[in-house]
C-alpha cells in the first residue's frame, strides 16, 4: 500500500488527480460561498423569504447531494458543469443555513448600540450584521467544505473524469487493492488538512475573539 | 479643553421634554402596559437619575428618548422637536457595554465617526477620549482582553467621541465592583462638569442615584409611573458613603421599598411580606438587577 502511494506520486497520476480534484472543488466551493452567504443574508433579512423558502432550504439540505447527479446530467450533459452542480448543491445550502442562523442570533444590543450612534442602512449590514455573524458563517464554511469534498468524490466516482474519485474507480477496475487504499488515504488527508488546519482554526479564532465559548 | 468644542454653538435651551408618554408591548399573553403617561422636563446640562423596580420600564423610556423605540402615546421632544429616530446627538451607554468584539479598542471608540471624517482626524479625537478615560495604553487591545470596568470606560469614550448633547446611561455600572464604580462616578462627574452634557442615568442602586443626580425620579412598579421626584441639594463632588448621601438614599429607599414589595408579590404570586421574610436590607445597598 505504501508502495502504491509512493508509486502513485512518482507516476504523477496522483498529482494529476489531486490537482484536478482540488481545482474542481475550489471553483465549486467559491460559487457555493457566494450563493450560500448571499441566500443566508436574504433569508435572515426578509421574514417573507424565511417563511416561504426557509423550510425548503432545510428540507433540500437533507438530500444527499449525489442525488442531484442524474438531474445535473440531464440538464448539463456528462461534463464539468454537472459535477460543479453537484458540489454546489452539496455545499451552499448548509452555508446559507449557518449564515441565516448567525444573523438571526446576533445579540440585539449590537444593533441598538450601532443605531444609537447614528449608523443605519447598508452601513448597519456591512459594519455590524456581517461581522457579528462571522463566527457562524465560518462554521457554515467548514461544514460546506466537507460537504463539497464528499459530493465531489461521489460525483467523480460515478462518472468519467480524471479526479481522485476516478482513480479509485480505475483501481477497482484493475483489481488493484493497494492503489484503491492509497487513493483513499490521499482523499482523507486532503480532507483533514483543509478541515483541521484551515477551517477549524479559523472558526476557533473567530469564536474566541468574539468572546463566544465552545 | 477640547471637549467643549461645538457644544457652545448648539442651540441654547436644549430642553428634553417627555410629554405624557405611554408604551404598550404585545406579549404572548396579550398587551402589556409598560409605561403610563410619564411626563418629565429636563433642562440642558442636568444630571437626572431614574430608579425603580426592574421591569418598570426605565430601559424602555431611555430607548424612547434615544429614538430607538417610539411611544405608543405622547411625545419626547428635544429643544421642541419630536424625537422619532436615533441620532448621534443622543447616545445610549448600555450595561453590557455592547462593544464590538471584532474591533479593537480604538476602532470601537471611533466607530461612530467613520463616515464623518478621515482616519487621522478620527484617530486623534478617539485618542483624546480614550486618554480621558485613562485607557490610552490599551488602544490596540481587543474587547475580550478587557475587564468589566475597562469595557465601561471604552463605552463611555465611544459615546463621548460623538460629542452628543445628551448622554443616556442604562445601568452602566451595575456589573462592576464597588471600588471601580466609585472611581467611575468621579470620572463621569468630572466629564459632565467639562462637557455640560445632559445626562439621564438609570440605576437600581439608590446611593448611586443620590451620588450623581441633580434630581432623582422614583418609578412605580409596572406600569411605570413617576412615584416621586427628589431634588438632591448636596454640594459636589459627593461621597457615596457620606451621611447626607445615606440620608437621602434612605428617603428614596422607602419610596422604592413599597414598589419592590408590590413587584415581589406579583412575582411570587402569594401573600408575601418582606418584613416577615426578613429580606429587607439597609438603604443604599445594591438591590441587584434581579429585584
Ligand atoms: N420588546 C419587548 N416586547 C415585549 N415586552 C417588552 C419588550 N421590552 C420590554 N418589555 C416589557 O416591558 C416592561 C419594561 O421593561 P424595561 O423597560 O426593560 O424595564 P426596566 O429597564 O425598568 O427593568 C417589562 O415588563 C418588559 O417585560
Ligand atoms: Mg433595564
Amino acid at each position: 500500500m505504501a508502495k502504491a502511494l509512493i508509486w502513485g506520486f512518482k507516476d504523477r497520476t496522483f498529482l494529476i488527480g489531486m490537482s484536478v480534484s482540488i481545482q474542481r472543488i475550489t471553483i465549486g466551493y467559491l460559487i457555493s460561498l457566494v450563493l450560500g452567504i448571499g441566500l443566508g443574508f436574504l433569508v435572515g433579512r426578509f421574514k417573507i423569504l424565511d417563511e416561504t423558502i426557509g423550510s425548503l432550504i432545510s428540507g433540500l439540505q437533507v438530500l444527499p447531494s449525489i442525488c442531484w447527479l442524474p438531474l445535473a446530467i440531464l440538464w448539463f450533459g456528462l461534463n464539468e458543469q454537472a459535477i460543479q452542480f453537484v458540489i454546489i448543491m452539496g455545499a451552499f445550502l448548509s452555508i446559507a443555513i449557518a449564515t441565516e442562523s448567525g444573523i438571526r442570533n446576533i445579540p440585539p444590543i449590537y444593533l441598538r448600540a450601532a443605531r444609537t450612534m447614528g449608523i443605519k442602512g447598508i452601513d448597519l449590514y456591512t459594519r455590524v450584521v456581517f461581522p457579528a455573524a462571522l463566527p457562524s458563517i465560518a462554521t457554515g464554511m467548514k461544514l460546506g467544505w466537507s460537504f463539497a469534498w464528499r459530493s465531489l468524490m461521489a460525483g467523480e466516482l460515478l462518472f468519467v473524469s480524471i479526479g481522485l474519485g476516478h482513480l479509485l474507480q480505475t483501481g477497482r477496475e484493475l483489481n488493484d487493492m493497494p492503489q484503491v487504499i492509497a487513493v483513499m488515504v490521499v482523499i482523507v488527508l486532503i480532507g483533514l488538512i483543509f478541515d483541521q488546519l484551515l477551517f477549524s482554526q479559523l472558526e476557533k479564532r473567530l469564536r474566541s475573539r468574539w468572546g463566544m465559548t465552545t | 479643553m477640547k471637549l467643549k468644542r461645538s457644544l457652545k454653538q448648539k442651540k441654547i435651551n436644549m430642553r428634553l421634554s417627555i410629554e405624557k408618554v405611554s408604551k404598550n408591548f404585545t406579549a404572548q399573553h396579550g398587551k402589556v402596559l409598560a409605561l403610563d403617561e410619564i411626563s418629565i422636563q429636563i433642562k440642558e446640562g442636568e444630571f437626572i437619575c431614574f430608579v425603580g423596580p426592574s421591569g418598570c420600564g426605565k430601559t424602555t423610556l431611555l430607548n424612547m428618548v434615544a429614538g430607538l423605540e417610539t411611544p405608543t402615546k405622547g411625545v419626547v421632544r428635544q429643544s421642541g422637536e419630536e424625537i422619532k429616530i436615533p441620532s448621534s446627538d443622543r447616545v445610549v451607554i448600555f450595561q453590557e457595554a455592547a462593544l464590538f468584539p471584532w474591533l479593537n479598542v480604538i476602532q470601537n471608540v471611533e466607530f461612530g465617526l467613520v463616515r464623518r471624517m478621515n482616519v487621522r482626524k478620527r484617530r486623534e479625537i478617539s485618542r483624546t477620549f480614550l486618554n480621558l478615560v485613562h485607557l490610552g495604553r490599551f488602544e490596540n487591545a481587543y474587547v475580550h482582553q478587557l475587564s468589566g470596568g475597562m469595557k465601561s470606560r471604552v463605552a463611555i469614550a465611544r459615546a463621548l467621541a460623538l460629542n452628543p448633547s445628551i448622554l443616556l446611561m442604562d445601568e452602566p455600572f451595575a456589573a462592576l465592583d464597588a471600588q471601580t464604580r466609585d472611581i467611575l462616578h468621579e470620572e463621569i462627574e468630572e466629564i459632565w462638569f467639562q462637557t455640560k452634557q445632559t445626562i439621564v442615568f438609570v440605576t437600581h442602586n439608590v446611593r448611586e442615584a443620590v451620588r450623581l443626580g441633580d434630581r432623582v425620579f422614583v418609578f412605580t412598579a409596572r406600569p411605570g409611573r413617576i412615584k416621586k421626584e427628589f431634588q438632591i441639594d448636596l454640594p459636589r463632588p459627593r461621597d457615596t458613603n457620606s451621611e447626607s448621601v445615606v440620608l437621602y438614599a434612605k428617603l428614596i429607599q422607602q419610596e422604592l421599598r413599597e414598589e419592590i414589595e408590590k413587584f415581589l408579590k406579583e412575582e411570587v404570586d402569594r401573600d408575601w411580606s418582606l418584613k416577615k421574610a426578613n429580606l429587607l436590607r439597609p438603604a443604599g445597598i445594591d438591590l441587584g438587577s434581579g429585584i
Side-chain angles (χ1 to χ4, degrees):
Chain A
M1 197 278 287
K3 232 185 257 169
L5 247 181
I6 295 163
W7 217 81
F9 276 103
K10 269 200 180 141
D11 178 33
R12 307 194 48 183
T13 48
F14 279 21
L15 284 179
I16 292 168
M18 274 167 64
S19 73
V20 168
S21 290
I22 287 178
Q23 203 179 325
R24 278 190 183 128
I25 198 169
T26 307
I27 295 169
Y29 182 65
L30 287 180
I31 296 174
S32 304
L33 270 187
V34 174
L35 289 179
I37 293 175
L39 182 66
F41 251 82
L42 289 177
V43 176
R45 168 70 180 81
F46 299 106
K47 246 203 158 104
I48 310 172
L49 276 180
D50 183 33
E51 280 156 8
T52 49
I53 62 169
S55 46
L56 180 71
I57 292 175
S58 13
L60 282 181
Q61 204 255 327
V62 175
L63 186 70
S65 61
I66 195 63
C67 301
W68 288 100
L69 187 65
L71 207 56
I73 292 174
L74 287 179
W75 276 339
F76 303 107
L78 258 173
N79 56 23
E80 207 55 35
Q81 275 147 309
I83 220 164
Q84 289 297 344
F85 183 76
V86 172
I87 296 177
I88 292 165
M89 290 318 288
F92 99 102
L93 290 174
S94 53
I95 297 172
I97 290 170
T99 304
E100 191 238 319
S101 98
I103 288 173
R104 194 192 300 273
N105 292 320
I106 293 175
I109 192 99
Y110 288 157
L111 297 174
R112 259 183 277 149
R115 284 175 56 219
T116 187
M117 290 187 275
I119 312 297
K120 53 193 174 207
I122 294 279
D123 268 9
L124 208 54
Y125 277 84
T126 55
R127 300 184 58 208
V128 184
V129 174
F130 181 73
L134 213 51
S136 184
I137 293 174
T139 306
M141 285 169 69
K142 181 179 146 184
L143 213 63
W145 194 86
S146 77
F147 279 130
W149 187 236
R150 280 159 216 220
S151 309
L152 173 65
M153 288 305 117
E156 285 183 348
L157 261 177
L158 287 180
F159 89 143
V160 193
S161 64
I162 14 178
L164 284 171
H166 182 62
L167 281 179
L168 270 183
Q169 187 68 356
T170 49
R172 183 190 68 81
E173 276 158 12
L174 301 172
N175 236 336
D176 184 353
M177 175 105 86
Q179 184 187 329
V180 170
I181 295 177
V183 176
M184 284 169 70
V185 168
V186 172
I187 292 172
V188 167
L189 283 180
I190 293 178
L192 273 181
I193 286 171
F194 277 91
D195 190 80
Q196 292 300 311
L197 293 187
L198 190 64
F199 292 109
S200 289
Q201 288 301 318
L202 180 72
E203 192 187 9
K204 221 167 81 184
R205 287 209 182 169
L206 285 176
R207 290 195 156 258
S208 87
R209 160 98 57 93
W210 267 232
M212 300 161 142
T213 38
T214 71
Chain B
M1 176 119 196
K2 238 187 212 154
L3 298 175
K4 283 183 187 161
R5 47 200 159 108
S6 59
L7 277 174
K8 282 234 180 71
Q9 300 153 18
K10 282 185 184 162
K11 245 200 291 181
I12 321 283
N13 193 22
M14 294 285 292
R15 259 161 49 113
L16 183 64
S17 81
I18 300 170
E19 301 167 7
K20 293 196 171 174
V21 164
S22 300
K23 180 74 182 180
N24 274 311
F25 284 111
T26 29
Q28 290 107 314
H29 29 266
K31 268 190 187 169
V32 177
L33 182 61
L35 286 166
D36 190 20
E37 298 220 344
I38 303 272
S39 292
I40 301 174
Q41 300 292 322
I42 297 170
K43 292 190 283 287
E44 186 193 354
E46 259 193 306
F47 201 132
I48 298 293
C49 291
F50 294 166
V51 294
S54 106
C56 73
K58 305 177 297 291
T59 296
T60 307
L61 185 58
L62 214 63
N63 282 343
M64 289 191 290
V65 174
L68 292 167
E69 284 186 60
T70 48
T72 314
K73 272 189 276 175
V75 283
V76 185
R77 295 179 202 276
Q78 182 182 5
S79 0
E81 272 187 54
E82 187 175 348
I83 293 171
K84 288 181 177 158
I85 51 165
S87 147
S88 58
D89 194 36
R90 305 178 300 269
V91 181
V92 186
I93 298 174
F94 305 90
Q95 179 186 336
E96 308 88 330
L99 303 177
F100 302 120
W102 52 90
L103 303 175
N104 66 21
V105 166
I106 193 87
Q107 289 167 332
N108 264 287
V109 176
E110 68 180 11
F111 189 86
L113 301 172
V114 167
R115 294 270 186 269
R116 300 167 190 223
M117 53 190 77
N118 63 33
V119 190
R120 259 190 34 164
K121 187 97 189 290
R122 66 181 192 243
R123 277 283 140 109
E124 191 192 315
I125 292 176
S126 303
R127 285 203 180 104
T128 310
F129 287 97
L130 213 47
N131 287 328
L132 188 77
V133 296
H134 310 293
L135 281 181
R137 287 188 302 127
F138 292 91
E139 66 169 68
N140 292 317
Y142 275 93
V143 175
H144 69 278
Q145 299 165 325
L146 305 178
S147 69
M150 289 157 95
K151 283 181 192 162
S152 293
R153 287 195 161 93
V154 177
I156 292 169
R158 180 174 75 173
L160 292 174
L162 288 163
N163 193 27
S165 49
I166 301 176
L167 263 186
L168 305 164
M169 306 179 81
D170 192 359
E171 309 199 21
F173 308 142
L176 306 179
D177 60 84
Q179 284 78 14
T180 310
R181 194 156 51 210
D182 276 347
I183 294 168
L184 281 164
H185 287 159
E186 277 168 37
E187 291 183 8
I188 200 74
E189 189 172 59
E190 183 59 38
I191 287 166
W192 174 67
F193 281 148
Q194 288 177 14
T195 60
K196 302 280 183 280
Q197 279 153 329
T198 307
I199 298 186
V200 183
F201 190 105
V202 171
T203 175
H204 54 252
N205 183 325
V206 176
R207 271 199 213 172
E208 180 171 58
V210 177
R211 161 74 180 86
L212 293 172
D214 291 329
R215 286 189 288 158
V216 176
F217 289 86
V218 180
F219 283 58
T220 63
R222 204 175 64 203
R225 300 193 187 93
I226 304 295
K227 183 175 167 97
K228 199 148 188 184
E229 174 189 336
F230 290 85
Q231 179 93 33
I232 313 293
D233 291 316
L234 296 175
R236 293 175 186 271
R238 303 163 186 161
D239 177 352
T240 314
N241 299 311
S242 69
E243 241 170 80
S244 45
V245 167
V246 172
L247 211 67
Y248 262 112
K250 266 190 184 139
L251 278 175
I252 296 172
Q253 186 70 35
Q254 266 159 21
E255 296 294 327
L256 199 56
R257 182 182 298 165
E258 280 176 35
E259 295 308 316
I260 290 174
E261 209 162 337
K262 251 195 256 170
F263 175 79
L264 274 183
K265 258 182 200 154
E266 200 179 289
E267 280 262 291
V268 290
D269 197 28
R270 68 186 148 96
D271 189 35
W272 174 279
S273 159
L274 275 177
K275 289 216 174 71
K276 240 192 302 188
N278 201 19
L279 263 177
L280 282 184
R281 293 166 217 192
I285 285 197
D286 193 326
L287 285 162
S289 46
I291 293 190

